[in-house]
Amino acid sequence: MISRRDLLKEASFAAAAVGMVHPVLNWAADQDGVSALPGKEGMIVRSFRFLDLEMPTEFMNSWITPVPHFFVRNHMFEPSTLNAAEWRLSVGGEVEKPLTLSLADLQKIEAHSVTNTLECAGNGRAFLNPNVPGVQWQRGAVGNARFSGPRLRDLLERAVVKTTGKHVLFHGLDDVPGKVPPFIRSIPIEKAIDGDTVVATQMNGTPLTKHHGFPARALVPGWIGAASCKWLSEVKVLDKEFEGNFMKPGYRMPNRTIEPGGSINPEETHPITVLNVKSVIASPNDGTTLKHSPVPIHGVAWAGEADVAKVEVSTDSGATWNPAQLGSEDAHYAWRLWSYSWKPAKAGDYVIMARATDSQGRSQPQTAAWNPSGYLYNVIDQVKIRVQA
Amino acid sequence: MSKRSGFVEIVIALVGLTVPWLWGQPPPPSDLPLGDMQGKARTACLECHDGRIILQQRLSKATWTKEVDKMTKWGAVVDPADRDALIEYLSVNFPAGKAPEPAARVLGQKKR
């Protein structure tokens, strides 16, 4: 019979052996991309480099999206070195008094909070036919968070914008690989001085994490995510719209309808700004088989600068529509939770659809406005489920 | 004769079985598929990108051509003599209409 001492001794040998295999197991996990990323949990990995993480629809069950579940869209490498004490934000260009602000300076300026649904312009790109190049986002390149920081307007007032100032450029500290153009975009001065456009230093009440733009990012509410430049280092007032790669030919929509698979001259396009009305079914999941009992259907809906007026649900492939109940939590730029309780009459296969309408009467289309980069996909969402007898 | 109970031998045997099993698995999903241009595609694409971003594309040859030319302009290392073969490799392995690549998930925070 083995003694306790021998058992301990042998256990230590065993531990050493397990220790040998552990790195191999870790290697396998890392190569599969299913291991870990500090600060993020349960995300769909579209790419580790550059980091692009999508939120599974199962997390679209809370009005405020926790930071660990908030999508990440990086065009390039995250800044390799970021020291909060040394970081500075310059405000210059068409201004009378250029500024250089530290994080402490920003924190002395009155903070404003905006609960905003941030969505990548390419969310839903994967559903386009034919496919288009880019990160193949499905439903979850979107999240709703409370962003806080000084109003951009307050910074621009201190710098005193000249009458020649028409656009405001944001430059981030992304580490640029090769000859890739730097990530620089601009917004019109009218949006820049809107009281809800902020230089955010906080997200959901805590300092921004690196994945989300620490120490400060622009937050342009109701607009595509690309407008809200992360790791902000420069605000520059321009006398015209910036024309770098991420403004032109990047992030533009055709001025006219084009056939799926077609192409268009950049001169016949315009920059994307505002998000459109959209809803996503969070549950049930596509392809689910359920027991024959009441089926709770729920999801989220948002509408850019407009409000969500209503969400309707169809359980018969779009033949008939029923109003969903909107959640009580509401803010101008924030998504609304919605729910609908459905009692299937009989077992069978069903197509469930959700359709949102905004406060200006715009509703989601049945077919996509196909465009070569796959922007602003907002086709009526649908899931196919089976109800068992 | 060893006085061991066999416990360590069992663990070592398990390790011995596990390691070859792991090494015998298919290539990691983030790697590019086999082919004459695999090495050069790695050089051109994976210098900056995770292979996943390539694996998830489903594009026509015309669109792959635009992508390769854009990336070359942005610094991807592609010998002009290899351009057409690289486009062919990508077009054949990731054509329009092919079933989507399953995406992996981050399961949680790594213990350190």
Side-chain angles (χ1 to χ4, degrees), chain A residues 270-291:
Chain A
H270 60 274
I272 315 171
T273 56
V274 183
L275 293 172
N276 48 14
V277 63
K278 188 167 177 177
S279 61
V280 168
I281 299 168
S283 181
N285 284 331
D286 193 32
T288 308
T289 297
L290 302 167
K291 291 179 182 174

Side-chain angles (χ1 to χ4, degrees), chain A residues 58 95 115 324:
Chain A
E58 68 202 56
V95 299
T115 303

Side-chain angles (χ1 to χ4, degrees), chain A residues 61-76:
Chain A
N61 57 4
S62 64
W63 191 56
I64 296 292
T65 307
V67 173
H69 297 156
F70 207 96
F71 83 99
V72 175
R73 169 60 173 129
N74 290 348
H75 291 79
M76 306 174 198

Side-chain angles (χ1 to χ4, degrees), chain B residues 42-63:
Chain B
R42 281 176 176 157
T43 303
C45 308
L46 306 189
E47 178 72 20
C48 289
H49 290 292
D50 175 354
R52 286 174 186 81
I53 203 70
I54 317 297
L55 270 60
Q56 65 195 253
Q57 306 303 314
R58 299 289 183 266
L59 305 174
S60 67
K61 189 168 182 177
T63 308

Side-chain angles (χ1 to χ4, degrees), chain A residues 283-284 290-298 315 340-344 352 385 387:
Chain A
S283 181
L290 302 167
K291 291 179 182 174
H292 191 195
S293 59
V295 177
I297 302 170
H298 67 88
T315 55
Y340 179 75
S341 184
W342 173 50
K343 295 177 182 172
I352 298 172
I385 66 160
V387 175

